[in-house]
Amino acid sequence: MMNEREQLQRIQELAREIMEMLLQESLFDRNSYLRDSVEHLANTVDALTKIQLDQDVNVQDTLRYTITKMRIARNAMQHEKETKKNLA
């Protein structure tokens, strides 16, 4: 069984794998808003795990960055929802 640090490291690895996949593959090509949301969320998870693993020297800036990325992801999702609603 993994301890807390190992679990956080695994979360960080998965977030980085998602970001790498987004760079390497043309996932979500037809919909950049969803792709951007996934990228922002993966970056956010990576940033938060760095805080938990004490790998971040500027926690306050990281938290502000995280809030901004989460807002961008939420706004992109809302935009997509509105776009689909208007097309219906």
Side-chain angles (χ1 to χ4, degrees):
M1 183 168 224
M2 289 192 282
N3 65 32
E4 182 179 327
R5 183 169 187 78
E6 291 169 329
Q7 289 175 330
L8 287 166
Q9 289 171 328
R10 182 62 183 137
I11 291 167
Q12 191 175 45
E13 288 171 14
L14 290 168
R16 289 179 180 167
E17 285 177 25
I18 290 169
M19 289 183 285
E20 286 175 20
M21 236 186 294
L22 288 170
L23 290 173
Q24 293 172 359
E25 304 291 329
S26 56
L27 299 173
F28 302 114
D29 252 3
R30 294 174 293 158
N31 192 335
S32 65
Y33 290 112
L34 290 179
R35 184 201 176 284
D36 292 347
S37 292
V38 170
E39 183 178 358
H40 290 311
L41 293 172
N43 279 316
T44 296
V45 169
D46 183 50
L48 292 174
T49 56
K50 282 180 184 175
I51 291 171
Q52 290 296 309
L53 292 167
D54 293 323
Q55 297 173 344
D56 194 324
V57 293
N58 200 340
V59 172
Q60 290 305 313
D61 283 347
T62 300
L63 290 173
R64 281 193 295 276
Y65 157 87
T66 298
I67 290 169
T68 299
K69 292 292 184 181
M70 293 296 291
R71 285 181 180 156
I72 291 169
R74 182 202 57 206
N75 291 344
M77 298 294 287
Q78 286 176 330
H79 180 269
E80 180 60 22
K81 180 180 174 183
E82 289 299 315
T83 300
K84 285 187 177 188
K85 183 178 171 182
N86 290 336
L87 291 175

